[in-house]
Amino acid sequence: MTVKKKRGRPSGKVKTSKIEIIIEPEIKEQFMEIVHNNNEYCSVLIREWIIDYIVKNEKQV
């Protein structure tokens, strides 16, 4: 069984940047409900998506 390592902010790290997105309120509500039902945090989830995207696309450069 493989364990997925969390890639959230390391202990003691300070956030220094924000990304703001604009979406329809209905989409946000759906997303937030699903995230909370899965006992996750939206900022951690989005950060992981961004890291995955960077890793995937750095190989193509």
Side-chain angles (χ1 to χ4, degrees):
M1 182 164 125
T2 50
V3 176
K4 184 178 178 185
K5 183 181 177 191
K6 288 283 184 186
R7 292 185 290 193
R9 183 170 21 122
S11 170
K13 271 291 201 200
V14 176
K15 292 188 282 186
T16 58
S17 290
K18 288 184 179 185
I19 293 178
E20 184 175 337
I21 62 167
I22 300 179
I23 58 174
E24 295 87 348
E26 300 81 20
I27 293 175
K28 178 189 175 200
E29 289 303 315
Q30 275 187 300
F31 177 71
M32 296 301 287
E33 183 178 338
I34 293 168
V35 168
H36 290 292
N37 288 340
N38 288 330
N39 294 318
E40 297 177 309
Y41 295 98
C42 60
S43 61
V44 173
L45 186 59
I46 293 169
R47 186 180 308 114
E48 289 177 357
W49 292 344
I50 291 170
I51 292 169
D52 287 342
Y53 185 84
I54 291 169
V55 169
K56 176 184 169 193
N57 286 282
E58 279 183 334
K59 295 176 184 175
Q60 296 176 4
V61 175

